[in-house]
Amino acid sequence: MTWLLKTILQQTQITGTLVFTVFTAVLSSFQFGYDIGVINAPQEIIISHYRHVLGVPLDDRKATNNYAINRTDSLPSVTPPADLILTPWGEEETVTSVGVVTMLWSLSVSSFAVGGMVASFFGGWLGDKLGRIKALLVANSFSLIGALLMGFSKLGPSHVLIIAGRSISGVYCGLISGLVPMYIGEIAPTTLRGALGTLHQLAIVTGILISQIVGLDFILGSHDLWHILLGLSAVPALLQCLLLLFCPESPRYLYITLEEEVKAKKSLKRLRGSDDVTKDINDMKKEKEEASSEQKVSIIQLFTNSSYRQPIIVALMLHVAQQFSGVNGIFYYSTSIFQTAGISQPVYATIGVGAINLIFTAISVLLVEKAGRRSLFLIGMSGMFFCAIFMSVGLVLLDKFAWMSYVSMTAIFLFVSFFEIGPGPIPWFMVAEFFSQGPRPTALALAAFSNWFCNFIIALCFQYIADFCGPYVFFLFAGVVLAFTLFTFFKVPETKGKSFEEIAAEFRKKSSSAQRPKAAVEMEFLRSTETV
């Protein structure tokens, strides 16, 4: 049995070193997911804490009493007088104060995306400058700083420390969102590159689910322990720092960037478990020649060069569609959404969303090479459109029919399922396939920036939009999803099983203003045949 298992592992090129290294790398992805989901479950407790620290009276007196009963620590704040009587001026002041608390909470959620948005441009640069291992170690320093700020937030001005901590954690996540897929792709055998690459997304959704579970009030989501919950991401950061010391450097970085063939062979031998690494070396040699023959492209050139304009616009729209679909509103605020829907235990429903997220991410891995990228994206967006409609209908009719809460909850589950089947993972696949070696790094960086920027807009504005639109909020997102579905149908080509030249030809067919190439690099991009 042991011999059979060893033979299977050798044939699939899976070695102990490879498994260990990939596991170490995706600990970053796990932290990424944990940081996304951790702010959700303790939302009401943190808002209550903000109110207490800032001296803002609670509208719900029962919530005030509960907070006083559960509070065991001493907080640096001025407690409002018990006999506070609100005059018209006092009412106006209270409304303003409540608005400040809402703003601080929105910043606590969205500052994470600000850090990621800024750092998304520097992940690749840092990896080339320091190497993949050292870059991940440097990135982890941001994770540790952010976790410490949030972990000690109860001892100082909580809103300031949480917003700062979330921003710095976002910087970490912005860096690793480029570093981890890059590192895994470079150490994986060609036959396993796709499967191992999807582990980045799988680790992210696992982190989201774990954060929701440990955020339960009887674990770490209580009045006494919520700050520990926020700072717990320091644990995988420290573990990864330790494990990275035993991981081999990327052989492609050593060979292509540093031109150190001896070290590259040594790293490959560790990863492959074999002394014969000739095939990998030849592949890297060919990749190096291709990279040196094609110039890198700037952001301005992506939009001014007619060869790249259509693909980059489509690429950005796919990422905008992913974020503006409203799914992150559910990830960030699902507890309050379920509460509005009348669910008695909204936190458990939120955990259900995380579990569905994990299951359908795994399913999408199996489907993406069979059904095609464009097809799955359209199926996912279409399903999300109908789910958003049912979600809002359920919320609107909740006062008339109590069972509508189950309609809303089911719609949320299905909404997340359709998202993970298509719009969740596929934009990252497709952007890399739209561009050749020269423009690809710049296009991916710009796509990542747009993704983080839209993430920030949703995280900052969703609570205000939800307050303004009330139960009709997901009708708005349904309209947005429908618009992007139509855009995808008319403008996005299928990339499954197609070469770069074939994808370029598809863009020419879909573009109403295609122009003939004017430069040699455009001729390479738009190499045509007699039949086009």
Side-chain angles (χ1 to χ4, degrees):
M1 189 69 180
T2 304
W3 173 83
L4 178 61
L5 179 61
K6 185 177 180 181
T7 302
I8 293 173
L9 292 177
Q10 288 176 344
Q11 289 177 346
T12 56
Q13 294 184 288
I14 298 176
T15 63
T17 301
L18 180 63
V19 172
F20 174 82
T21 305
V22 171
F23 170 79
T24 301
V26 298
L27 280 174
S28 288
S29 311
F30 176 84
Q31 290 181 68
F32 188 175
Y34 186 89
D35 286 335
I36 289 175
V38 73
I39 201 71
N40 192 344
Q43 174 181 347
E44 294 302 323
I45 293 175
I46 296 175
I47 289 176
S48 179
H49 186 77
Y50 283 0
R51 288 175 177 271
H52 187 84
V53 170
L54 297 171
V56 177
L58 294 173
D59 296 330
D60 185 351
R61 190 56 56 186
K62 180 180 178 181
T64 308
N65 295 334
N66 288 341
Y67 185 83
I69 292 170
N70 288 289
R71 192 174 69 87
T72 59
D73 61 322
S74 178
L75 298 171
S77 64
V78 179
T79 304
D83 58 347
L84 177 65
I85 299 175
L86 293 178
T87 62
W89 170 260
E91 290 177 0
E92 181 180 346
E93 186 177 4
T94 300
V95 171
T96 303
S97 300
V98 171
V100 169
V101 172
T102 301
M103 180 192 71
L104 290 175
W105 170 250
S106 295
L107 286 174
S108 299
V109 177
S110 61
S111 58
F112 173 75
V114 174
M117 184 170 55
V118 173
S120 60
F121 276 113
F122 299 101
W125 173 84
L126 191 65
D128 286 340
K129 195 74 174 176
L130 302 178
R132 299 355 179 195
I133 300 295
K134 290 181 180 178
L136 284 170
L137 288 169
V138 170
N140 268 303
S141 65
F142 289 100
S143 178
L144 290 171
I145 293 170
L148 288 173
L149 285 173
M150 290 186 288
F152 288 103
S153 60
K154 219 173 182 184
L155 305 178
S158 302
H159 51 290
V160 175
L161 294 177
I162 289 176
I163 292 171
R166 291 275 295 170
S167 298
I168 295 172
S169 294
V171 170
Y172 164 75
C173 293
L175 291 174
I176 67 95
S177 62
L179 279 172
V180 171
M182 180 193 301
Y183 183 47
I184 293 177
E186 291 175 347
I187 65 174
T190 304
T191 54
L192 295 175
R193 194 170 296 162
L196 294 180
T198 57
L199 294 180
H200 170 63
Q201 178 73 9
L202 193 61
I204 288 175
V205 296
T206 302
I208 293 174
L209 179 58
I210 295 299
S211 71
Q212 292 167 343
I213 292 173
V214 297
L216 291 170
D217 55 2
F218 61 85
I219 302 180
L220 291 178
S222 64
H223 287 283
D224 297 327
L225 300 176
W226 61 265
H227 59 296
I228 297 176
L229 173 69
L230 297 184
L232 199 62
S233 59
V235 175
L238 288 171
L239 177 61
Q240 188 184 49
C241 286
L242 177 63
L243 297 182
L244 281 171
L245 300 177
F246 303 97
C247 292
E249 181 55 89
S250 161
R252 274 177 165 72
Y253 167 74
L254 294 171
Y255 187 87
I256 297 175
T257 305
L258 298 186
E259 299 183 347
E260 295 185 358
E261 185 174 344
V262 175
K263 290 184 178 180
K265 286 182 177 180
K266 183 179 179 181
S267 178
L268 276 170
K269 289 175 182 178
R270 288 183 62 191
L271 289 165
R272 303 293 181 262
S274 171
D275 290 332
D276 185 12
V277 292
T278 305
K279 184 180 183 301
D280 288 282
I281 291 293
N282 290 337
D283 289 342
M284 288 189 292
K285 184 178 180 180
K286 182 180 179 181
E287 185 179 338
K288 183 179 179 181
E289 291 172 353
E290 291 176 353
S292 61
S293 66
E294 194 169 12
Q295 295 181 347
K296 290 187 176 181
V297 176
S298 68
I299 293 176
I300 295 177
Q301 287 176 307
L302 285 176
F303 290 98
T304 57
N305 192 313
S306 59
S307 304
Y308 309 131
R309 190 182 303 120
Q310 179 87 352
I312 192 60
I313 290 174
V314 171
L316 294 180
M317 290 297 282
L318 287 175
H319 280 275
V320 173
Q322 183 197 78
Q323 292 298 320
F324 281 0
S325 65
V327 72
N328 271 343
I330 292 175
F331 287 153
Y332 287 134
Y333 299 101
S334 59
T335 300
S336 60
I337 293 172
F338 283 126
Q339 204 167 24
T340 302
I343 305 300
S344 59
Q345 295 290 339
V347 174
Y348 292 103
T350 296
I351 292 174
V353 170
I356 292 292
N357 196 21
L358 178 61
I359 292 168
F360 279 87
T361 299
I363 291 174
S364 70
V365 174
L366 304 175
L367 293 177
V368 72
E369 291 298 341
K370 296 180 179 180
R373 282 76 154 136
R374 179 177 179 272
S375 300
L376 283 182
F377 196 92
L378 282 171
I379 291 171
M381 293 294 281
S382 301
M384 291 168 70
F385 167 73
F386 289 107
C387 289
I389 295 292
F390 283 113
M391 213 182 301
S392 278
V393 168
L395 293 174
V396 169
L397 300 179
L398 183 61
D399 291 337
K400 295 182 178 180
F401 308 100
W403 54 268
M404 278 293 174
S405 62
Y406 297 102
V407 173
S408 295
M409 186 171 71
T410 303
I412 289 175
F413 286 158
L414 291 175
F415 188 91
V416 172
S417 302
F418 279 113
F419 174 80
E420 290 301 348
I421 284 176
I426 284 176
W428 301 103
F429 279 95
M430 297 191 78
V431 174
E433 293 171 333
F434 285 168
F435 298 92
S436 59
Q437 190 70 25
R440 186 179 293 136
T442 306
L444 284 172
L446 189 60
F449 175 82
S450 68
N451 194 288
W452 277 103
F453 179 74
C454 295
N455 188 324
F456 165 72
I457 296 298
I458 290 296
L460 182 64
C461 299
F462 182 85
Q463 192 67 61
Y464 293 102
I465 296 172
D467 291 343
F468 179 77
C469 297
Y472 299 93
V473 61
F474 284 101
F475 281 129
L476 174 63
F477 285 111
V480 174
V481 168
L482 178 60
F484 283 118
T485 302
L486 294 174
F487 175 87
T488 302
F489 183 81
F490 289 108
K491 294 293 184 180
V492 179
E494 178 58 74
T495 59
K496 175 196 168 187
K498 293 183 179 178
S499 67
F500 176 71
E501 289 79 6
E502 291 171 330
I503 295 170
E506 286 291 329
F507 272 118
R508 289 202 306 276
K509 290 179 182 178
K510 290 180 177 292
S511 175
S512 59
S513 59
Q515 298 179 1
R516 296 191 62 176
K518 299 179 181 179
V521 66
E522 294 179 1
M523 287 294 294
E524 180 66 20
F525 181 86
L526 294 173
R527 186 182 296 126
S528 58
T529 64
E530 294 296 327
T531 58
V532 175

